[in-house]
Amino acid sequence: MGVIKAVIVDDVARARKTLNEDLATYCPSIEVIAEADGVVSGAKCIKQAKPDVVFLDIQMNDGSGFDLLEILGEVPCKIIFTTASDAFAIKAFKFSAIDYLLKPIDPDELMAAVEKLEAESNNHPQSLELLKESVQGTAALKRIALNTQEKIHITPIADIVRCESNVNYTMFYFTNGKKLLVTKTLKEFDAMLNDHQFVRVHQSHLINAAYLKEYVKIDGGYLVMSDGSEVPVSTRKRNVVMELIGAL
């Protein structure tokens, strides 16, 4: 990709200085061509500098990173958000499949984000909108961005029947009978969806309890889902399944 032109937008001078120094040290392909300290100045800076990527703080004195994106209209470049440690905000990033760096920024995570940047195209507009809704609390994390090798699919969580591990990928099965191979591990989705009545019943299987139809105890034990699929239950997860059934 060659030299990647970057702009840093953050209202904390020390944060801008540290990120600039880290990029120079660990990410030589990044050239910081401009900095800004707020929403309005950041929008002007991005329009003038026309960078390939913006490292964008979420909360600033004169508004949010989302306010800046609204001023810009169409997002002209890749966005990597920087955010303080906030559990809900971090979950929102994971649900929207948008890159973020947690402050204080770890050099290894910074290098990983730049490597992804070099391999991927611009942020998906729907993913940015989903992130904005989630962070602001208007969507209550009702949708999830599922990243395949071809595109990003914005999907209602309630439409997911179950998920199945496929090495470093995850196969999603939906209520309409369709399925989707997603570029994340089942472990990651287990952590993301466990607040949405999803239950890990096997090392390779995660189910939406809303679509559990039967628990068959013979042949080692397996579940029958509403779409007719059969899901094995591991020995160590039988108690979890029994508790689940008891709570329904």
Side-chain angles (χ1 to χ4, degrees):
M1 189 173 180
V3 175
I4 301 171
K5 297 183 295 181
V7 165
I8 298 172
V9 182
D10 195 309
D11 61 348
V12 179
R14 175 178 282 275
R16 296 196 304 274
K17 181 175 183 292
T18 300
L19 179 54
N20 206 329
E21 291 173 348
D22 285 348
L23 287 167
T25 302
Y26 301 107
C27 306
S29 63
I30 298 287
E31 178 188 357
V32 177
I33 56 175
E35 297 180 13
D37 62 359
V39 170
V40 176
S41 62
K44 290 180 181 177
C45 178
I46 292 166
K47 286 180 179 178
Q48 291 172 356
K50 295 180 172 58
D52 300 308
V53 61
V54 176
F55 292 89
L56 179 60
D57 190 16
I58 286 192
Q59 296 297 337
M60 292 176 279
N61 289 329
D62 62 342
S64 73
F66 302 115
D67 296 329
L68 184 152
L69 295 179
E70 286 185 4
I71 292 173
L72 289 176
E74 183 178 342
V75 182
C77 57
K78 183 80 173 176
I79 304 293
I80 297 178
F81 287 96
T82 58
T83 182
S85 180
D86 181 294
F88 181 79
I90 291 167
K91 179 165 277 193
F93 278 105
K94 291 179 178 178
F95 269 74
S96 60
I98 292 289
D99 287 338
Y100 72 99
L101 291 167
L102 184 63
K103 296 179 181 179
I105 296 171
D106 180 271
D108 288 335
E109 293 181 0
L110 178 60
M111 288 187 286
V114 171
E115 284 181 11
K116 285 178 65 179
L117 168 68
E118 292 172 332
E120 296 179 358
S121 59
N122 289 352
N123 298 112
H124 194 284
Q126 284 186 288
S127 294
L128 285 168
E129 186 62 28
L130 175 56
L131 174 63
K132 178 183 174 183
E133 291 176 357
S134 299
V135 169
Q136 295 178 344
T138 56
L141 297 177
K142 292 179 181 177
R143 296 184 294 163
I144 186 170
L146 300 178
N147 200 344
T148 68
Q149 290 183 328
E150 296 82 24
K151 62 178 70 174
I152 294 175
H153 303 257
I154 308 298
T155 305
I157 295 171
D159 289 351
I160 302 167
V161 175
R162 64 185 182 94
C163 312
E164 183 174 349
S165 175
N166 190 328
V167 193
N168 291 324
Y169 295 80
T170 301
M171 184 68 79
F172 275 70
Y173 295 84
F174 301 98
T175 53
N176 62 5
K178 292 184 179 180
K179 57 185 181 179
L180 198 66
L181 187 63
V182 180
T183 55
K184 276 186 181 178
T185 65
L186 187 66
K187 181 179 180 181
E188 292 176 87
F189 288 114
D190 183 16
M192 291 166 63
L193 294 168
N194 59 17
D195 291 335
H196 295 263
Q197 64 183 0
F198 280 75
V199 182
R200 188 82 170 264
V201 297
H202 186 279
Q203 183 178 353
S204 300
H205 296 275
L206 180 69
I207 68 160
N208 185 342
Y211 299 112
L212 174 58
K213 186 177 178 182
E214 297 175 354
Y215 175 35
V216 181
K217 296 181 180 180
I218 60 173
D219 297 330
Y222 62 90
L223 305 175
V224 179
M225 304 301 291
S226 60
D227 61 356
S229 58
E230 297 180 356
V231 179
V233 177
S234 67
T235 302
R236 66 188 188 90
K237 290 291 185 178
R238 285 178 187 170
N239 289 340
V240 173
V241 171
M242 294 307 296
E243 289 175 9
L244 170 63
I245 292 171
L248 293 176

